[in-house]
Amino acid sequence: LIEVRGVKKLYLQGEEELWALKGIDLLIRRGEFISIMGPSGSGKSTLFNQIGALDVPTEGQVLFEGQNIFDLTEPQQAWFRNHKIGYIFQTFNLITVMTALQNVALPAVFEGVGHEEANRRATAILERVGLGHRLTHKPGELSGGQQQRVAIARALVNRPSVVLADEPTGNLDTATGQEIIDILKSLNEEDGVTIVCSTHDPKMIRKSERVVWIADGLKQKEVTAAEF
Amino acid sequence: LIEVRGVKKLYLQGEEELWALKGIDLLIRRGEFISIMGPSGSGKSTLFNQIGALDVPTEGQVLFEGQNIFDLTEPQQAWFRNHKIGYIFQTFNLITVMTALQNVALPAVFEGVGHEEANRRATAILERVGLGHRLTHKPGELSGGQQQRVAIARALVNRPSVVLADEPTGNLDTATGQEIIDILKSLNEEDGVTIVCSTHDPKMIRKSERVVWIADGLKQKEVTAAEF
Ligand SMILES: Nc1ncnc2c1ncn2[C@@H]1O[C@H](COP(=O)(O)OP(=O)(O)OP(=O)(O)O)[C@@H](O)[C@H]1O
Ligand SMILES: Nc1ncnc2c1ncn2[C@@H]1O[C@H](COP(=O)(O)OP(=O)(O)OP(=O)(O)O)[C@@H](O)[C@H]1O
Ligand SMILES: [Mg+2]
Ligand SMILES: [Mg+2]
């Protein structure tokens, strides 16, 4: 259960005040599959950074199972980010000097799993997203859609209870995109993983239980699957 | 007129040979609007690098108006890349320490235009892609779709005769994506600009005169608009 309460985010652009989020209230239930849609620049990624405890709201708060993550100690926060949340970044944020396998194994290594087990888990999830034949490639030796899938695999390797997927199919053809959506859907249905996607992809919307519309830093409306 | 003749591209992955392109023949007529589709990892971006003279084929050649760009001198090649071709990269490749305006003005400055004129042109094209209110933001202060639009603006600022757009709408919502497609379509219809897009976006396909399918480093088929 994630609660976003009155979250605002201010960026200072020189003298100018830019409110990227102007007061968002959102409740995400455990095990839900929810999509967040809205125009480019509307605040989706900024909202994800607040939910994933990567950034502090200027006003308001984010509660995870009733707990404000920023009230925890630094080591507790780090543990939370590594164990509870799998974050798929819109711009991937892969480590360019490491291979696909090393990139995906890293969160498992941080979790305290030995190197052999970390590599085994990373290999399994990379095979699942169709990259079993690209383990030794560095990001610069991968296509755009392959880099996106490494970012997806990395977010899933520690079997998080919440996946925050920021436009996870933007660089994928229809067939590959559908495979990724099916993986997320099965994690949701079989393992009860809460999935929160920011997306422009109708295939993702189709699999969602609820769609939240964001525009200009505010929540515009929500629709449940029954309604679309 | 661009002619791709028997183009192959080999990457060496340690001991292993990886043929990303296995022999591509393609003719692109002046003023055409053509989309290239295919699965993730099939070779589209690699093909674009050959067409845009950013990379040399392992075998085969690319001729631009009958001329092999790599037979030109280094300064002539640089001139060609700056004047004739506008390249929109799949991963944007923006300069992170420069603002949106500076990023877009840079090719105009390289073209020999004065700073004032470069800034004027850059501002105009940034306004056209809906970023007139983001001129002073650096890439890290922009959303994913805004970064994509800066990359698009930069490719268009020198009014090239050919635009190579590698998945230009991947990070854009439907409405913003359509605006970009309409801009490319009008450049094509009004100014005779040749547009070559790699895309997974049905909205782009709909506006194309011809669609070329690539899979596993080979051209699978071509269809003309009349047929779809
Ligand atoms: N430097 C490299 N070394 C080794 N292999 C590479 C290198 N660059 C690309 N590849 C491989 O070449 C193949 C083609 O890559 P390319 O980027 O052209 O694909 P693409 O069709 O653009 O895919 P996408 O739709 O995901 O962007 C991929 O399988 C990729 O792993
Ligand atoms: N560090 C920053 N400083 C100033 N403005 C910023 C900063 N980061 C983001 N912004 C602005 O905040 C707004 C929201 O950005 P955000 O990345 O959340 O949008 P988004 O909905 O994810 O868009 P997209 O669909 O294009 O990815 C944008 O207009 C952007 O220009
Ligand atoms: Mg975003
Ligand atoms: Mg590509």
Side-chain angles (χ1 to χ4, degrees), chain A residues 10-13 18-21 38-49 90 166-167 198 200 214, chain B residues 131 133-134 137-147 149 171-173:
Chain A
L10 169 66
Y11 291 117
L12 281 171
Q13 192 65 13
L18 201 160
W19 290 90
L21 299 175
S40 173
S42 56
K44 304 179 295 297
S45 296
T46 305
L47 177 59
F48 270 45
N49 290 342
Q90 186 170 5
D166 199 347
E167 300 192 32
S198 159
H200 304 307
I214 304 281
Chain B
L131 293 178
H133 60 320
R134 289 287 182 270
H137 287 235
K138 299 198 183 73
E141 299 166 333
L142 292 171
S143 78
Q146 290 169 343
Q147 291 176 41
R149 285 181 276 161
N171 281 281
L172 301 175
D173 56 285

Side-chain angles (χ1 to χ4, degrees), chain A residues 40 90 149 171 173 200, chain B residues 13 40 90 149 171 173 200:
Chain A
S40 173
Q90 186 170 5
R149 285 181 276 160
N171 280 281
D173 57 284
H200 304 307
Chain B
Q13 191 65 14
S40 173
Q90 187 170 4
R149 285 181 276 161
N171 281 281
D173 56 285
H200 304 306

Side-chain angles (χ1 to χ4, degrees), chain A residues 134 137 141 143 145-146, chain B residues 11 40-46 90 167:
Chain A
R134 289 287 182 271
H137 288 235
E141 299 165 336
S143 78
Q146 290 169 342
Chain B
Y11 291 117
S40 173
S42 55
K44 304 179 296 297
S45 297
T46 304
Q90 187 170 4
E167 302 192 31

Side-chain angles (χ1 to χ4, degrees), chain B residues 125-170:
Chain B
I125 188 67
L126 279 162
E127 284 174 347
R128 197 165 173 194
V129 299
L131 293 178
H133 60 320
R134 289 287 182 270
L135 301 179
T136 58
H137 287 235
K138 299 198 183 73
E141 299 166 333
L142 292 171
S143 78
Q146 290 169 343
Q147 291 176 41
Q148 187 153 40
R149 285 181 276 161
V150 175
I152 292 164
R154 181 179 62 178
L156 303 181
V157 72
N158 279 349
R159 295 173 205 135
S161 48
V162 180
V163 175
L164 299 180
D166 199 349
E167 302 192 31
T169 61

Side-chain angles (χ1 to χ4, degrees), chain B residues 37-95:
Chain B
M37 289 187 87
S40 173
S42 55
K44 304 179 296 297
S45 297
T46 304
L47 178 60
F48 270 45
N49 290 340
Q50 316 308 313
I51 295 175
L54 292 178
D55 194 12
V56 195
T58 308
E59 286 181 41
Q61 47 188 327
V62 176
L63 304 177
F64 200 96
E65 296 170 340
Q67 166 84 56
N68 185 336
I69 302 312
F70 288 103
D71 290 342
L72 300 174
T73 65
E74 286 283 341
Q76 285 175 323
Q77 286 182 38
W79 183 93
F80 168 80
R81 283 183 204 110
N82 200 46
H83 279 74
K84 285 287 189 176
I85 302 220
Y87 203 130
I88 302 165
F89 294 93
Q90 187 170 4
T91 49
F92 319 150
N93 296 356
L94 300 178
I95 298 171

